[in-house]
Amino acid sequence: MWISLSLLLLTAWCCRADGIHRDDGLKLSASRVTPLRSRRMIGGTLAPLVPWQAMVYLSDNVRTGGYAGGALISDRWVLTAGRNLFLNKSRQDTQRKNPLIPKVYLGISGRSEAKASSEVAVEKVILHPHFQNQSDWDNNLALIQLKEPVVISDKVTPIPLPERGQDLPDSTEGSGAIAGWGWGVYLNLASSLKHLILPLVDHSTCKAEYERRAFMPTVDDSMFCTVSGRLEENVCFGDAGGALAVKDAETGDIYAAGILSYDKPCRLHKYAVYMKISSYLPWIHKVTRGDTQNSQAVRSQTMAKMYSWQQMYS
C-alpha cells in the first residue's frame, strides 16, 4: 500500500484522540528525524510577531470548532477560509447553514495572548456567494467585518492585496511565507505562532497530482499551490485561513497572494492549495465597499446624468 504503516497508525491514533474527522486539527507538521520533545517545532520555525495574522477562534476544543488563521486586510476586515467557520466542514454539512460568528484576536504570537485585551469584536461574516458550490473546496473564502476599526500599529498592520500586475503566473518560481498555530503530529498544541517558507510550484503539476486522487481539491485557475520544503515541512490540519505573503520581485512590495484552503498535506501529500486572491478582488472590493444590490445601477445612472447634463449645458 502507498500509505506507510506508520502513517496509518498515526492517523488511527489521531482519530481515536479527537473522535472526529481530521479536518478539525491545526498545525504545521513535524519532522521524523528529531526527538519527540522538539518534533512539533520542526515543521515550522518560531515566527516573529506577524502583524497581519489573525486568530479566528471558535473554541479551544477541536470537537467544537477549534481555531485557525486569518489575514487582516484593512482596519475593518479579516479574510479567511470559509470552512473555518463551520464545525462540520463538508459541502453536505454546510449547505443552507449560516457560518458561525468567531472571536478574532489580533497582534498576538503566543496562544496564551488570545484573551479579552487582544480580542476585536465581530460585526458579521460574509461567505463567498459560491462557497462550496460544487465541491468542498470551491471558493473557500469568507470576509469577517469588525465592529470598530482597529488601531494600526507595529503589532497590528494589514497586509495589502495584490495590485494590477501582481497575479501569480501558472508557471512560477519563488516562495512565500505563511504562519499558523495549532496541532502537530502528536496533537500537541503549539504555544507560539510558527511560520514556514514554502516554494511555489507549477500550477499544472499540482493540478495533475490531485486529479488522480478522490476527495481532493480540483485545482482550477482561481487556485495555486506550494510544495513541501527540503525537510518535508508543510502546512497541516487547521492552518487554513492564513495568508501566503510574497514579495514582488520588481517593486519589493509585500502582499497576500493567497489564502490557504487545502491544509491537509502534512506528510501525506506535497502540495498545499491556496485561493488566489487576485481572482477574487472584484468580490472582496464589492463587499468591503459596502455595495448593495442597487449600487452598480446607482453609479451607472449617476454617470449617465453627468454626461447628459454636460451635453445639455455645453
Side-chain angles (χ1 to χ4, degrees), residues 203-245:
H203 182 271
S204 60
T205 302
C206 180
K207 179 182 176 71
E209 174 69 17
Y210 286 132
E211 281 179 344
R212 298 194 295 266
R213 304 181 187 277
F215 309 111
M216 298 294 180
T218 299
V219 182
D220 60 27
D221 291 340
S222 65
M223 304 174 187
F224 69 90
C225 302
T226 57
V227 64
S228 56
R230 183 173 57 88
L231 299 176
E232 299 184 42
E233 64 272 27
N234 211 339
V235 296
C236 198
F237 309 138
D239 285 321
L244 188 80

Side-chain angles (χ1 to χ4, degrees), residues 107-151:
I108 67 173
S109 289
R111 188 161 47 88
S112 62
E113 299 173 68
K115 50 191 176 182
S117 60
S118 59
E119 182 181 354
V120 288
V122 172
E123 178 71 26
K124 61 183 176 180
V125 169
I126 301 174
L127 286 174
H128 190 275
H130 302 300
F131 172 68
Q132 293 187 335
N133 61 340
Q134 294 184 21
S135 78
D136 287 356
W137 307 100
D138 289 341
N139 307 301
N140 184 21
L141 287 175
L143 281 161
I144 301 172
Q145 185 179 27
L146 308 179
K147 284 188 176 181
E148 301 290 340
V150 298
V151 177

Side-chain angles (χ1 to χ4, degrees), residues 10 27-44 184-186 196 230-234 266-267:
L10 172 60
K27 191 62 186 99
L28 305 173
S29 71
S31 170
R32 291 179 289 191
V33 296
T34 54
L36 175 61
R37 182 174 60 181
S38 63
R39 186 173 293 179
R40 69 185 175 90
M41 300 180 65
I42 293 299
V185 166
Y186 294 96
L196 287 170
R230 183 173 57 88
L231 299 176
E232 299 184 42
E233 64 272 27
N234 211 339
C266 306
R267 291 195 178 279

Side-chain angles (χ1 to χ4, degrees), residues 160-167 253 255 278 281:
L161 300 177
E163 297 183 358
R164 187 181 300 274
Q166 291 178 328
D167 186 12
D253 292 338
Y255 66 95
S278 60
L281 287 176

Side-chain angles (χ1 to χ4, degrees), residues 16-314:
R16 180 182 176 188
D18 63 21
I20 58 174
H21 191 278
R22 63 184 182 181
D23 278 355
D24 292 312
L26 293 174
K27 191 62 186 99
L28 305 173
S29 71
S31 170
R32 291 179 289 191
V33 296
T34 54
L36 175 61
R37 182 174 60 181
S38 63
R39 186 173 293 179
R40 69 185 175 90
M41 300 180 65
I42 293 299
T45 305
L46 283 172
L49 178 65
V50 181
W52 57 83
Q53 182 77 19
M55 177 182 283
V56 177
Y57 176 99
L58 296 181
S59 75
D60 271 332
N61 192 319
V62 295
R63 294 178 179 84
T64 49
Y67 51 86
L72 184 70
I73 60 170
S74 77
D75 64 353
R76 286 289 299 273
W77 293 93
V78 170
L79 184 60
T80 189
R83 287 164 54 97
N84 288 344
L85 305 174
F86 293 90
L87 300 187
N88 300 310
K89 305 176 188 300
S90 68
R91 183 171 179 265
Q92 65 183 17
D93 293 317
T94 64
Q95 294 302 293
R96 295 178 295 279
K97 291 185 179 179
N98 293 323
L100 299 174
I101 302 298
K103 292 183 178 180
V104 171
Y105 299 96
L106 295 173
I108 67 173
S109 289
R111 188 161 47 88
S112 62
E113 299 173 68
K115 50 191 176 182
S117 60
S118 59
E119 182 181 354
V120 288
V122 172
E123 178 71 26
K124 61 183 176 180
V125 169
I126 301 174
L127 286 174
H128 190 275
H130 302 300
F131 172 68
Q132 293 187 335
N133 61 340
Q134 294 184 21
S135 78
D136 287 356
W137 307 100
D138 289 341
N139 307 301
N140 184 21
L141 287 175
L143 281 161
I144 301 172
Q145 185 179 27
L146 308 179
K147 284 188 176 181
E148 301 290 340
V150 298
V151 177
I152 305 304
S153 66
D154 290 345
K155 292 183 64 176
V156 178
T157 299
I159 187 167
L161 300 177
E163 297 183 358
R164 187 181 300 274
Q166 291 178 328
D167 186 12
L168 296 177
D170 289 341
S171 178
T172 188
E173 296 180 352
S175 62
I178 186 166
W181 293 276
W183 299 98
V185 166
Y186 294 96
L187 299 186
N188 44 351
L189 286 164
S191 59
S192 298
L193 189 67
K194 305 292 180 63
H195 81 282
L196 287 170
I197 307 298
L198 294 175
L200 296 160
V201 69
D202 183 270
H203 182 271
S204 60
T205 302
C206 180
K207 179 182 176 71
E209 174 69 17
Y210 286 132
E211 281 179 344
R212 298 194 295 266
R213 304 181 187 277
F215 309 111
M216 298 294 180
T218 299
V219 182
D220 60 27
D221 291 340
S222 65
M223 304 174 187
F224 69 90
C225 302
T226 57
V227 64
S228 56
R230 183 173 57 88
L231 299 176
E232 299 184 42
E233 64 272 27
N234 211 339
V235 296
C236 198
F237 309 138
D239 285 321
L244 188 80
V246 301
K247 184 176 181 178
D248 187 293
E250 294 185 2
T251 66
D253 292 338
I254 307 299
Y255 66 95
I259 292 293
L260 180 61
S261 173
Y262 183 66
D263 60 349
K264 309 299 180 281
C266 306
R267 291 195 178 279
L268 187 59
H269 306 292
K270 294 192 297 183
Y271 304 116
V273 182
Y274 303 76
M275 307 310 301
K276 186 190 293 186
I277 292 178
S278 60
S279 298
Y280 290 93
L281 287 176
W283 170 69
I284 294 170
H285 291 322
K286 180 179 178 180
V287 172
T288 56
R289 278 196 307 262
D291 280 4
T292 68
Q293 188 173 359
N294 296 325
S295 294
Q296 179 58 35
V298 169
R299 286 191 288 263
S300 296
Q301 291 167 8
T302 302
M303 277 293 281
K305 289 178 181 178
M306 292 168 73
Y307 274 93
S308 63
W309 292 6
Q310 174 71 21
Q311 294 171 354
M312 183 183 303
Y313 294 107
S314 61

